Amino acid sequence: MSLNFDPDKPNYSFVTTDKDYKEALEDLEKRKVLAVDTECTSLDPFESKILLIQIATPEKSYVLDARKLDMKLLKGLLEDSTKLKLLQNSKFDYSQLKAHYDISMTNIFDTMLAERLLTCGLERRNSLGAIVEKYLNIKLKKEVRKSFEGLMSQVTEEQIRYAAMDVLVLFPVFEKQWELLQKEDLVKVARLEFSTVRVVAEMELRGLAIDAIKWKSVIVGLQKKRDELAAKIQETIRPLYKIQQMDLFGGAADVINLNSQQQLLELFNDKLGLAVASTGDSVLEFVNHPVAALMREYRAHEKLISAFGESILEKINKRTGRIHPDFQQIGADTGRFSCNNPNLQQIPRESKEAPFRSCFVPTTGYKYVVADYSSMEMRIVADFTGDENLIKAFEEGWDVHSATAALMFNKEYTPDFKKKFPDLRQAAKTINFGLVYGMGPGRLAVQIGVDTDTAKGYMTKYFETFKQVKAWLDSAARFAVKNGYSMTPIGRKRWYQMPDKSDPNYDRLIGGIERQGKNHPIQGANADATKYALVFLLEKFKELKVDGGIILTVHDEIVCEIREDQAEDWAKVQQEQMEKAAGLFMKKCKPKAEAIVSSNWEH
DNA sequence: AGAGGTGGTG
DNA sequence: CATGCACCACCTCT
């Protein structure tokens, strides 16, 4: 292995004067590839101060003192799309540079995302330390790199040296990863991911507003109902427990902790003699006892309060007054995003009792454009398999689950099928979703409430009706087991750790790989389409000079916040771009997106 | 601190 | 007999 620098004595200069800064820029301007990193006092770009910006050539690292020098002079260099910028976790640096200096970096190679693509499904160790150790066999001191947090005083020489190293290592890592990306035919998907970074960063920086007053009132309403339910349950079960405890005020204390499944199991089995295997809702649903019914209702309320209550309001940024969730660009091994702090991808769907989504509202003068792909995963299945029955249903604009039911149960499809045969449609819907993920007859039977033999019959009928679907699923499963990976149309791969033949769980593990091998190309293709759409949309914002931005993405949905007078036009653009994105690889079955203009997050 | 149970989303 | 995919948050218990 050859390095252009000595890991023990990296070639760097700490730039603190305008004269040195100018010389550094002159050197950097000549280069085609640069490595970039920033050291900040906080992860939150609205709270942080930038201390250092390191920009390196393969031989030399310039550590720029951001507190002394005018960092806006870097704008031309970093926005120059002919220069490739190497970064580790570039979303972070993009956000910091954008927030502080209005610099929008382009042409990024992100070593963290590259590593994620190269080891998807196998490893999740994508830190710079892990990557450098893997490719260069060098150990970086993580503690030094973390020590900038909250730091306001003088930066030490040791910190500067390690800051310099952090960028120098990116060149040899880049070369090895680039070679591997080409070898694994991952260049296309890597380009997509690298282009998506700035879209995600801009989305996070923009954030979104929440009507805190309304949110709070929803919570209070739920709490009131929950407390009533809890009191009722405690009252009902009190006679079953001998020891009567008093609380500090002489009132009757709670008999058990309703949130403890241990104590709940004891209640149902020992006290009530109901023999339940677990206390989950799918079990309690069939327990014929008033306490079970009350518990289900209590649970539903408690869930909403604990998971979505005050905790979300605590995430409102003090500076911006908005929520800035953290999106993980390759959060799932399938290629999907994940989201946390808070996870806006799991906010409950709008309901009367808990209208959470309608609490997310555009700023005055703006509207939301909410768009999603319709029946995307089923359309992808139709496209992959070329199944005429499925494709016809989509081309006719039919409800796909109703159409499935009609074919399976020998009925005629009519526009009011859903009304006439809701049970048949529900069964078909469960099968459509379940079977493409490898569901078995047992689970299917429980889900749709029939015996196992009947469920088996449904499965047979389904696969007779959709022969090509069956053939595709079987071959996807075989492919994954045979090759040790699965793949989406644009070449995104997910690898599988193959079990040893002698493993006592061998069959079970292979079964898991088969199911994931069926699911990944479908779920991953959806993710690929959504990512292309995000990239296209950011382009359109610039091209059309539309006032607004992307605020959310939820797997097959994209939400934008657009100035009121431009929202209707944008809705058309958004729909077109989403369809164009998915249309890049869906040829046999055309994708469909639906966009609406709304004054809250609802659809 | 980490595991397991439960349940919210697509 | 097990065994539908992908996540994240919150709770209790050890």
Side-chain angles (χ1 to χ4, degrees):
Chain A
M1 179 198 64
S2 72
L3 295 175
N4 284 323
F5 61 94
D6 179 351
D8 296 319
K9 284 184 190 151
N11 181 16
Y12 72 94
S13 78
F14 184 37
V15 181
T16 59
T17 66
D18 287 339
K19 182 174 163 285
D20 290 349
Y21 190 20
K22 196 175 165 235
E23 277 172 27
L25 285 174
E26 275 167 15
D27 183 19
L28 295 168
E29 283 288 358
K30 289 182 212 141
R31 312 294 180 137
K32 280 284 160 210
V33 187
L34 302 171
V36 181
D37 189 20
T38 53
E39 304 297 343
C40 311
T41 56
S42 165
L43 298 176
D44 175 358
F46 299 108
E47 284 294 329
S48 66
K49 296 255 188 306
I50 298 188
L51 299 170
L52 304 174
I53 296 179
Q54 306 97 278
I55 308 181
T57 72
E59 301 85 25
K60 182 168 181 182
S61 177
Y62 295 98
V63 181
L64 311 175
D65 188 335
R67 291 174 302 179
K68 285 197 181 141
L69 306 167
D70 181 8
M71 292 294 106
K72 290 200 171 160
L73 297 182
L74 295 173
K75 193 175 169 76
L77 186 74
L78 296 177
E79 293 188 350
D80 182 346
S81 62
T82 68
K83 295 192 193 308
L84 182 66
K85 268 77 69 179
L86 314 180
L87 296 99
Q88 163 75 2
N89 187 17
S90 57
K91 184 186 79 174
F92 173 80
D93 305 276
Y94 184 97
S95 297
Q96 297 284 355
L97 293 170
K98 177 76 186 183
H100 287 276
Y101 314 122
D102 193 35
I103 293 173
S104 309
M105 256 188 299
T106 55
N107 199 5
I108 287 166
F109 182 102
D110 190 316
T111 49
M112 187 180 83
L113 292 174
E115 191 61 17
R116 189 84 177 90
L117 291 177
L118 287 166
T119 62
C120 206
L122 299 177
E123 287 177 43
R124 291 199 80 137
R125 294 172 52 248
N126 311 308
S127 70
L128 184 59
I131 292 172
V132 164
E133 207 175 325
K134 171 177 169 182
Y135 290 99
L136 312 179
N137 205 20
I138 298 175
K139 279 202 196 229
L140 295 176
K141 281 197 186 164
K142 195 168 120 208
E143 320 82 65
V144 180
R145 289 164 52 239
K146 259 207 131 189
S147 66
F148 290 97
E149 274 174 46
L151 186 84
M152 293 304 292
S153 59
Q154 201 52 46
V155 182
T156 67
E157 193 60 32
E158 194 193 17
Q159 286 177 315
I160 293 163
R161 190 168 67 249
Y162 277 97
M165 272 287 282
D166 278 355
V167 269
L168 287 171
V169 294
L170 295 178
F171 289 94
V173 168
F174 157 67
E175 277 173 23
K176 305 213 168 185
Q177 286 182 330
W178 183 239
E179 197 178 310
L180 289 172
L181 288 170
Q182 290 178 91
K183 191 180 135 216
E184 296 292 348
D185 209 7
L186 287 166
V187 171
K188 194 173 182 181
V189 65
R191 287 192 197 284
L192 172 60
E193 293 295 350
F194 298 158
S195 304
T196 306
V197 170
R198 58 175 309 202
V199 191
V200 178
E202 302 272 358
M203 177 165 69
E204 290 184 1
L205 284 174
R206 172 173 275 268
L208 70 171
I210 184 169
D211 181 343
I213 309 280
K214 182 177 175 186
W215 187 274
K216 182 87 187 147
S217 82
V218 172
I219 298 301
V220 169
L222 290 168
Q223 279 168 337
K224 196 163 165 272
K225 190 76 200 290
R226 176 201 58 185
D227 293 345
E228 283 168 18
L229 289 161
K232 208 164 176 180
I233 296 168
Q234 299 287 358
E235 215 177 288
T236 312
I237 64 176
R238 181 160 292 122
L240 302 171
Y241 292 79
K242 289 204 185 85
I243 304 155
Q244 292 290 320
Q245 291 185 354
M246 297 292 174
D247 68 15
L248 290 174
F249 307 101
D254 286 351
V255 179
I256 61 168
N257 180 351
L258 298 180
N259 295 330
S260 162
Q261 67 109 28
Q262 218 173 57
Q263 296 176 39
L264 235 41
L265 272 178
E266 202 221 335
L267 167 68
F268 281 111
N269 291 324
D270 301 350
K271 305 287 184 187
L272 298 173
L274 293 167
V276 298
S278 91
T279 66
D281 195 64
S282 56
V283 171
L284 293 189
E285 187 184 354
F286 299 103
V287 174
N288 187 19
H289 192 282
V291 172
L294 287 168
M295 264 313 293
R296 293 183 68 205
E297 226 185 316
Y298 167 83
R299 278 261 184 83
H301 287 76
E302 170 63 19
K303 171 74 181 185
L304 296 174
I305 295 158
S306 65
F308 308 105
E310 301 283 344
S311 58
I312 303 262
L313 297 179
E314 287 162 14
K315 303 291 195 308
I316 297 173
N317 190 289
K318 291 204 172 53
R319 293 284 162 93
T320 66
R322 290 163 77 95
I323 289 176
H324 303 269
D326 187 6
F327 286 93
Q328 201 82 43
Q329 198 175 309
I330 315 180
D333 289 339
T334 54
R336 268 191 182 178
F337 278 93
S338 69
C339 178
N340 56 29
N341 289 312
N343 182 1
L344 295 187
Q345 297 185 324
Q346 64 174 158
I347 299 297
R349 286 190 299 266
E350 188 74 1
S351 72
K352 208 163 180 218
E353 172 100 302
F356 286 123
R357 290 203 179 196
S358 58
C359 292
F360 292 90
V361 288
T363 327
T364 313
Y366 289 75
K367 290 276 189 187
Y368 281 171
V369 173
V370 184
D372 59 6
Y373 287 114
S374 88
S375 303
M376 186 57 154
E377 292 201 342
M378 285 309 296
R379 277 181 200 264
I380 290 169
V381 169
D383 187 69
F384 286 179
T385 62
D387 191 285
E388 287 109 17
N389 283 324
L390 277 181
I391 290 173
K392 177 161 194 280
F394 285 122
E395 278 174 356
E396 298 287 339
W398 292 344
D399 169 59
V400 70
H401 302 307
S402 296
T404 304
L407 284 166
M408 281 183 66
F409 303 110
N410 302 315
K411 302 258 188 263
E412 192 195 344
Y413 179 87
T414 57
D416 60 348
F417 189 95
K418 194 173 175 175
K419 266 201 186 127
K420 283 199 302 203
F421 308 104
D423 294 349
L424 295 185
R425 183 186 180 274
Q426 183 53 47
K429 188 177 174 183
T430 303
I431 296 174
N432 271 334
F433 282 118
L435 292 196
V436 296
Y437 303 147
M439 192 194 273
R443 175 79 178 260
L444 179 62
V446 173
Q447 285 265 319
I448 59 181
V450 298
D451 59 63
T452 310
D453 283 342
T454 309
K456 260 186 196 157
Y458 285 172
M459 285 177 63
T460 307
K461 181 79 185 162
Y462 182 88
F463 287 132
E464 275 171 5
T465 311
F466 304 105
K467 280 200 176 63
Q468 293 161 91
V469 174
K470 166 101 172 118
W472 184 86
L473 289 170
D474 288 347
S475 88
R478 269 200 312 276
F479 185 95
V481 172
K482 184 174 168 233
N483 300 294
Y485 68 88
S486 49
M487 202 165 56
T488 70
I490 69 160
R492 181 191 298 281
K493 288 178 176 175
R494 176 188 187 166
W495 278 271
Y496 302 96
Q497 185 69 58
M498 298 311 286
D500 198 275
K501 278 265 196 312
S502 64
D503 194 313
N505 291 317
Y506 181 79
D507 289 345
R508 188 177 65 80
L509 293 167
I510 291 291
I513 292 168
E514 287 174 341
R515 286 192 301 278
Q516 291 171 326
K518 295 171 186 176
N519 179 246
H520 168 242
I522 302 168
Q523 195 183 107
N526 190 353
D528 294 342
T530 303
K531 284 179 181 177
Y532 272 116
L534 290 170
V535 173
F536 291 169
L537 286 174
L538 189 64
E539 287 297 317
K540 284 286 169 188
F541 273 113
K542 286 185 285 184
E543 180 194 324
L544 303 173
K545 305 211 186 320
V546 166
D547 179 358
I550 302 163
I551 57 168
L552 266 181
T553 173
V554 191
H555 310 309
D556 59 1
E557 173 181 2
I558 296 173
V559 185
C560 294
E561 185 177 34
I562 310 290
R563 203 178 72 203
E564 216 158 356
D565 60 309
Q566 300 177 321
E568 284 295 343
D569 288 343
W570 180 262
K572 287 190 193 69
V573 173
Q574 190 168 331
Q575 183 202 317
E576 283 164 11
Q577 294 304 310
M578 287 173 73
E579 289 175 357
K580 182 184 149 200
L584 291 176
F585 57 83
M586 292 172 71
K587 302 295 183 189
K588 286 183 261 182
C589 180
K590 290 292 175 194
K592 191 179 164 204
E594 285 169 307
I596 60 152
V597 176
S598 174
S599 51
N600 60 50
W601 180 22
E602 231 202 307
H603 58 168

